[in-house]
Amino acid sequence: MLYTIIKALHIIFMVSYFAGIFYLVRIFVYYKDTDEFAEEKKKILREQYTFMARRLWNIITVPAGVIMTLCGITMIFLNLGLMKTPWFHLKLTFLIGLAIYHYWCWKKVLKLKELNGNTLETANIKLRQANEIATFILFLVVFTVILKSQVIEYWWQLITGFFVLVFLIMMTVKLVNKKKKK
């Protein structure tokens, strides 16, 4: 029963964490979108986006990430057999990627604060594409957890499907961004 409760909490805080990460990078995109605005409007919006990013990071994303991680570690200790399964090692590999993405987001939040309303140097299209990285990691982790050993058995089909998904999402981002410029 305890394991199931911890697992439910892990999933709830995983959803909260990903909601925070998804919206945070969208805020970076909105901040960058202000480059073409009049100075007064740009200043007001950039202050607001910086405020929103910091609050989202400090109040939702990081606390949810910490609780999600603690629940995950607790589940490992309650079921040490997980460490003997190849699919779980794959999940942990994807979580290392998530940790790197988390670090990148944290650096951007700090950068917004230090910019004091100045231009964010990262290209708009790069921010829009970076916004999809959390989606890719979420797909990888969820499919790995749900399919477990089948992920190892059908790895090439899943990799092919994943790359098709990545390609379609990236092309959609480029297409939407291209239409936005017109």
Side-chain angles (χ1 to χ4, degrees), residues 3 17 30 50 61 72 77 107 109 116 132 138 142 144 175-176:
Y3 185 85
Y17 173 79
Y30 294 156
T50 301
T61 309
F77 281 111
K107 296 305 276 182
V109 169
N116 287 326
E132 303 306 327
L138 182 61
V142 169
T144 300
L175 181 66
V176 167

Side-chain angles (χ1 to χ4, degrees), residues 42-155:
K42 182 189 305 186
K43 181 182 184 300
I44 292 167
L45 286 172
R46 286 183 174 178
E47 282 178 15
Q48 183 63 32
Y49 292 142
T50 301
F51 173 78
M52 290 167 63
R54 292 181 66 217
R55 295 287 298 260
L56 178 63
W57 183 256
N58 292 323
I59 296 172
I60 295 172
T61 309
V62 170
V66 167
I67 296 169
M68 172 188 71
T69 302
L70 290 174
C71 288
I73 291 168
T74 302
M75 287 191 311
I76 292 170
F77 281 111
L78 292 174
N79 182 5
L80 290 172
L82 287 171
M83 294 304 289
K84 297 176 184 172
T85 60
W87 71 265
F88 193 73
H89 291 187
L90 187 59
K91 176 189 175 184
L92 292 176
T93 302
F94 297 145
L95 293 180
I96 290 169
L98 180 60
I100 292 166
Y101 185 72
H102 179 93
Y103 177 77
W104 178 84
C105 289
W106 175 58
K107 296 305 276 182
K108 286 288 184 217
V109 169
L110 294 176
K111 185 70 174 173
L112 285 187
K113 181 182 175 189
E114 127 189 346
L115 283 174
N116 287 326
N118 291 316
T119 300
L120 185 60
E121 294 302 319
T122 310
N124 193 296
I125 188 71
K126 296 294 181 200
L127 289 170
R128 290 176 185 276
Q129 290 171 333
N131 193 45
E132 303 306 327
I133 292 172
T135 304
F136 301 143
I137 294 170
L138 182 61
F139 267 86
L140 291 168
V141 170
V142 169
F143 272 92
T144 300
V145 170
I146 298 297
L147 296 174
K148 294 184 176 30
S149 61
Q150 291 174 326
V151 165
I152 306 304
E153 187 178 342
Y154 298 104
W155 67 271

